[in-house]
Amino acid sequence: MNIAVVGTGYVGLVSGACFAEMGVNVTCVDINKDKIEGLKKGVIPIYEPGLKPIVLRNYDAQRLHFTTDLPSVLNDMDIVFIAVGTPSDEDGNADLTYVFNVATTIADHLNSHVLIVTKSTVPVGTSHKVKELIRQRLDERGLQELDFDIASNPEFLKEGAAVDDFMSPDRVVVGVETERAKELMTRLYRPFLLNNFRVIFMDILSSEMTKYASNAMLATRISFMNDVANLCELVGADVNMVRRGMGSDSRIGKSFLYPGCGYGGSCFPKDIRAIIKVAEDVGYEMSVLKAVESVNNQQKGILFHKFNRFFKGDIKGKTVAVWGLSFKPETDDMRDAPSLTLINSLLESGVNVRAYDPAAMQEAKIYLNDRIYYAADIYDAANNADALIVPTEWKEFRLPNWEILKKIMNNFLVVDGRNIYNKEELASYGFEYSGIGQR
Ligand SMILES: NC(=O)c1ccc[n+]([C@@H]2O[C@H](COP(=O)([O-])OP(=O)(O)OC[C@H]3O[C@@H](n4cnc5c(N)ncnc54)[C@H](O)[C@@H]3O)[C@@H](O)[C@H]2O)c1
């Protein structure tokens, strides 16, 4: 089987490499020439555990190819995946420019049957718009007889565990409208689900909606727990205990009950905004999701608020060590990261920032340029700092040497945005501790 994956980002590169790993002949396409040239030389443009060996192995085996030229490969393909970005536009709608650009290129060059699959997260109805656009252009080109299929196959991988998620998915959701599309997608995904075939076929609109509804549910759990955590602090309860007590109820479950400093990343914020807009367009108000978004915006300010409160607002000229910049561990993705909200507030208040992240330092420079000090490691970041603030829970932050930190820091406040430290233990070293939702 020959497939093309258009858009070689977090989703497209992982999908393409993992399909190739199963023996499929895959061409990854991107308009970014540097990215494609880099990939041909073995340079992986993103930090994603386990991805590099799969890319290198399959590229060497000539099952994985890279190109910027979609038209030159299009007509050899059985399936073309669209996996380009769908960021928010100024009003919060999903910006579908990249998706429609790909659709236009396909429409302008298609000469043989193909299945076109939308993998990007798109508002309900987008795949049908892609189909209309291509049909209209083919008709204009005099190709009324040329038939093609469409499908929707939203992606559920998590950055930081993307390869594992793709290789062993909980389920694969596929929206189809023809038997031919269903058969092709069944063949493609069978190797991933040999033991227990969990492809859930449905209509295309429901498939598109499933992706938004899933992200909306996960974001809702996060904002709900952040609300609970904030109340715990006010009434003297400990959210760590509450979480365990709640999560052991099988109707609730343990996942996604961790309070923190707000959700970020390339998906939840934009997808919540987009589903609210989709609803508005059809005259419906997503009241729960509006609250989810509002709680999250407030929660992203909590680390700054705790730091500012500790020093009673006298923070100008202070120095803060920030450990963790990416929106979550095991990725270099900085899109909508809570660390950015924190750092911007600190800088606006005249605070000096010394930051360290195991993977996202290069990416962070795009957002923060020379406004902060980029530290070589956690201790370099903490040197002379008045506070240590942790927005992202990388493993290497879990057991630092508190004795060294006590010696090199100037003041001894730790603001723990992910509840990875123990208040009593830190007190024994002479640190003041402020976590999320704890007494
Ligand atoms: N990142 C995630 O964790 C994740 C998870 C599930 C779903 N998604 C969804 O998948 C989609 C892609 O997300 P991503 O994070 O991989 O995006 P990304 O920004 O990392 O990558 C998108 C790529 O598409 C390329 N591109 C843009 N226009 C193109 C064109 N006309 N032809 C070829 N390439 C083009 C860009 O150069 C870029 O390399 C989004 O809709 C996103 O919501 C993302």
Side-chain angles (χ1 to χ4, degrees):
M1 189 185 291
N2 290 330
I3 71 170
V5 181
V6 187
T8 309
Y10 286 86
V11 166
L13 183 57
V14 171
S15 311
C18 291
F19 283 134
E21 183 77 352
M22 293 298 183
V24 180
N25 192 36
V26 180
T27 303
C28 282
V29 185
D30 206 286
I31 46 170
N32 184 329
K33 287 196 180 76
D34 292 344
K35 195 180 261 192
I36 292 298
E37 286 313 309
L39 280 161
K40 286 179 179 170
K41 292 182 193 128
V43 180
I44 310 299
I46 54 171
Y47 176 87
E48 187 59 51
L51 181 58
K52 187 167 186 171
I54 299 186
V55 171
L56 297 186
R57 183 163 59 240
N58 286 285
Y59 184 68
D60 285 347
Q62 297 184 3
R63 273 190 306 268
L64 184 59
H65 317 272
F66 298 105
T67 183
T68 54
D69 188 2
L70 176 59
S72 70
V73 295
L74 179 63
N75 290 301
D76 299 328
M77 297 299 152
D78 300 296
I79 307 178
V80 176
F81 281 90
I82 302 177
V84 294
T86 49
S88 286
D89 70 11
E90 280 170 10
D91 300 325
N93 298 294
D95 179 351
L96 297 173
T97 312
Y98 304 112
V99 172
F100 292 138
N101 284 347
V102 177
T104 304
T105 305
I106 294 173
D108 284 344
H109 297 91
L110 193 67
N111 290 319
S112 56
H113 176 270
V114 73
L115 167 61
I116 299 157
V117 182
T118 315
K119 192 169 251 318
S120 300
T121 303
V122 291
V124 181
T126 303
S127 300
H128 287 138
K129 287 188 186 153
V130 165
K131 181 181 174 183
E132 276 165 34
L133 186 158
I134 296 175
R135 182 71 270 160
Q136 195 183 336
R137 182 74 189 112
L138 289 180
D139 292 351
E140 285 165 11
R141 290 174 57 212
L143 295 170
Q144 285 83 358
E145 302 296 311
L146 178 53
D147 197 15
F148 66 96
D149 289 306
I150 58 161
S152 154
N153 173 217
E155 184 49 57
F156 295 94
L157 62 75
K158 301 183 287 295
E159 285 177 24
V163 171
D164 286 348
D165 285 349
F166 200 92
M167 286 304 208
S168 317
D170 287 338
R171 64 7 191 141
V172 172
V173 170
V174 181
V176 286
E177 49 185 21
T178 62
E179 268 308 309
R180 190 165 50 182
K182 188 174 177 184
E183 272 167 30
L184 258 181
M185 294 301 276
T186 303
R187 263 178 63 207
L188 179 65
Y189 274 110
R190 192 174 284 124
F192 294 89
L193 301 158
L194 279 181
N195 295 336
N196 179 5
F197 191 69
R198 293 174 303 267
V199 178
I200 305 173
F201 283 105
M202 58 183 76
D203 62 278
I204 287 177
L205 298 179
S206 304
S207 166
E208 290 171 335
M209 186 67 195
T210 301
K211 174 63 190 177
Y212 275 125
S214 301
N215 275 1
M217 170 59 96
L218 296 172
T220 301
R221 283 173 78 106
I222 294 174
S223 276
F224 174 77
M225 284 312 291
N226 284 335
D227 240 0
V228 168
N230 295 339
L231 181 59
C232 282
E233 282 185 29
L234 294 171
V235 298
D238 180 345
V239 77
N240 289 324
M241 294 296 125
V242 175
R243 173 177 58 76
R244 286 165 65 186
M246 287 169 63
S248 52
D249 183 326
S250 60
R251 294 169 302 176
I252 296 173
K254 295 181 173 54
S255 309
F256 270 81
L257 290 186
Y258 291 83
C261 47
Y263 59 74
S266 65
C267 291
F268 288 178
K270 80 169 173 65
D271 291 349
I272 303 311
R273 286 194 286 270
I275 192 172
I276 289 171
K277 285 286 176 188
V278 166
E280 274 175 17
D281 286 348
V282 290
Y284 188 76
E285 187 179 3
M286 297 296 275
S287 314
V288 172
L289 292 184
K290 285 187 168 177
V292 165
E293 195 180 32
S294 148
V295 169
N296 195 58
N297 290 339
Q298 189 185 310
Q299 199 71 8
K300 279 180 148 184
I302 198 163
L303 301 181
F304 176 78
H305 174 69
K306 283 172 179 283
F307 164 72
N308 191 41
R309 191 178 55 192
F310 180 85
F311 288 104
K312 300 188 173 60
D314 182 16
I315 56 174
K316 192 163 181 213
K318 294 252 180 312
T319 298
V320 166
V322 175
W323 287 1
L325 294 171
S326 55
F327 85 94
K328 67 173 182 177
E330 301 296 338
T331 180
D332 58 353
D333 199 340
M334 290 289 301
R335 289 177 279 188
D336 266 320
S339 69
L340 293 173
T341 310
L342 166 70
I343 291 172
N344 284 325
S345 301
L346 292 170
L347 294 175
E348 276 164 27
S349 304
V351 176
N352 305 306
V353 175
R354 300 173 66 86
Y356 171 72
D357 187 284
M361 299 293 264
Q362 275 307 111
E363 199 63 18
K365 285 178 187 163
I366 297 170
Y367 293 81
L368 297 162
N369 46 58
D370 58 358
R371 293 184 296 146
I372 65 168
Y373 171 76
Y374 296 92
D377 57 31
I378 55 173
Y379 300 104
D380 184 25
N383 210 7
N384 274 324
D386 295 292
L388 162 62
I389 305 185
V390 184
T392 315
E393 71 280 28
W394 283 89
K395 285 197 190 77
E396 70 175 73
F397 304 160
R398 305 259 172 126
L399 270 181
N401 187 325
W402 294 110
E403 280 165 359
I404 294 180
L405 289 168
K406 190 74 206 292
K407 281 192 195 122
I408 63 175
M409 284 177 68
N410 196 30
N411 268 301
F412 308 111
L413 171 66
V414 175
V415 181
D416 178 1
R418 302 291 172 181
N419 287 349
I420 57 175
Y421 302 126
N422 178 283
K423 184 174 187 164
E424 284 74 34
E425 187 193 348
L426 263 68
S428 74
Y429 290 101
F431 284 90
E432 288 283 340
Y433 174 82
S434 181
I436 307 288
Q438 303 178 45
R439 282 188 284 272

